[in-house]
Amino acid sequence: MPDFVYPIAGTIIGLIIGSFLATIVIRWPQVQSVISGRSRCDSCQEPLRAIDLIPVISYVLRSGKCANCGAVINSDHLAIELGAGLIGGVALFAAPGVEGLLGAIFGWLLITLAALDAQHHWLPDKLTLPLAVCGLAASLWVDDPGLVNRTIGGIAGFSALFLIGWSYRLLRGREGLGGGDPKLLGAVGCWLGWSALPFVILGAALVGLIAVAMMHIRGRAVNRDSALPLGTFIAITAFPLWIVQTMTGGNLL
């Protein structure tokens, strides 16, 4: 199959998967099932027809509103579908074949975690732990980084943030770091290897600074007690690093 077909296929698959990921982001925090029963409007609960389930296109055709009740459809559907489509296309452009598909899976899990953390400050174990396992398993198909490198990355990533959170709690007498953040960094280490972790932390810090600057511009107060989604910043940084790592033969330096 010609190489140019891979990113096109990745984009289409990503759009389809993105529709499911958006459902997870919207319904899971509300303790609603994301796999049982027919897809329904989040407002009127009317079952959706086939024409309402086409990623992105249905949203555009309906002008972002439910065809039955006219309620505005949560824009997360469009944003996550487009994001997942972009991830699938870029991943399979960077590495046509199995490695690219694995990278797309990495990105799809990250975008879901990023959205959940940004909106709910929640990084569920049911996503972070499979992310870590998939990262280690990917070493069966991708030589670099190897399994040892990934394993050390998982341990080092988790340990680093866990110790920072533990130290902060000991010194300040309060939580300063969410319990899911160390698990997420550990899972990212299982994909990128231990040597990429400093770049992940640096990138997450820069993304965080940009987020704070944008909050100031919008007039939102930010102080030392403000809760910021570190997991989102890590996730936003990790996938581009995977692209660089993949296209440079596993070397970020």
Side-chain angles (χ1 to χ4, degrees):
M1 187 165 63
D3 284 352
F4 74 85
V5 175
Y6 285 97
I8 296 174
T11 300
I12 294 172
I13 294 171
L15 291 171
I16 296 170
I17 289 178
S19 181
F20 175 67
L21 299 181
T23 301
I24 291 177
V25 171
I26 294 169
R27 296 186 180 178
W28 206 359
Q30 300 174 8
V31 197
Q32 297 181 12
S33 174
V34 297
I35 57 175
S36 62
R38 292 181 58 185
S39 297
R40 299 175 180 272
C41 170
D42 294 325
S43 298
C44 66
Q45 299 303 308
E46 181 72 14
L48 301 180
R49 295 172 296 176
I51 195 172
D52 298 318
L53 297 174
I54 305 172
V56 178
I57 295 176
S58 294
Y59 188 95
V60 174
L61 289 176
R62 300 301 188 192
S63 300
K65 297 180 180 180
C66 172
N68 181 62
C69 67
V72 175
I73 299 172
N74 192 321
S75 59
D76 286 349
H77 282 287
L78 180 62
I80 295 176
E81 286 172 2
L82 288 173
L86 179 62
I87 287 170
V90 170
L92 284 163
F93 172 80
V98 174
E99 185 177 4
L101 180 59
L102 291 170
I105 292 172
F106 180 47
W108 292 330
L109 287 170
L110 287 175
I111 194 175
T112 308
L113 287 161
L116 286 171
D117 197 38
Q119 295 182 15
H120 305 284
H121 294 284
W122 184 39
L123 296 169
D125 290 349
K126 289 183 179 180
L127 289 179
T128 54
L129 296 183
L131 180 66
V133 172
C134 288
L136 295 176
S139 65
L140 296 174
W141 294 275
V142 181
D143 293 332
D144 197 8
L147 179 59
V148 173
N149 193 333
R150 293 169 187 260
T151 302
I152 295 173
I155 296 171
F158 173 81
S159 300
L161 284 191
F162 178 83
L163 289 174
I164 290 173
W166 177 80
S167 300
Y168 185 92
R169 185 170 61 251
L170 184 66
L171 293 173
R172 301 294 300 275
R174 63 179 182 177
E175 296 292 339
L177 195 66
D181 294 320
K183 297 173 187 176
L184 177 58
L185 185 61
V188 168
C190 290
W191 279 91
L192 303 181
W194 66 267
S195 59
L197 292 177
F199 296 96
V200 176
I201 295 298
L202 176 60
L206 292 175
V207 173
L209 289 174
I210 293 172
V212 170
M214 293 301 295
M215 292 168 69
H216 275 296
I217 292 173
R218 294 174 181 174
R220 293 180 56 185
V222 181
N223 54 49
R224 63 181 183 179
D225 295 321
S226 298
L228 298 174
L230 176 59
T232 299
F233 305 151
I234 291 173
I236 290 173
T237 303
F239 183 68
L241 284 176
W242 175 85
I243 295 171
V244 174
Q245 188 180 67
T246 300
M247 298 190 74
T248 57
N251 185 11
L252 289 174
L253 298 176

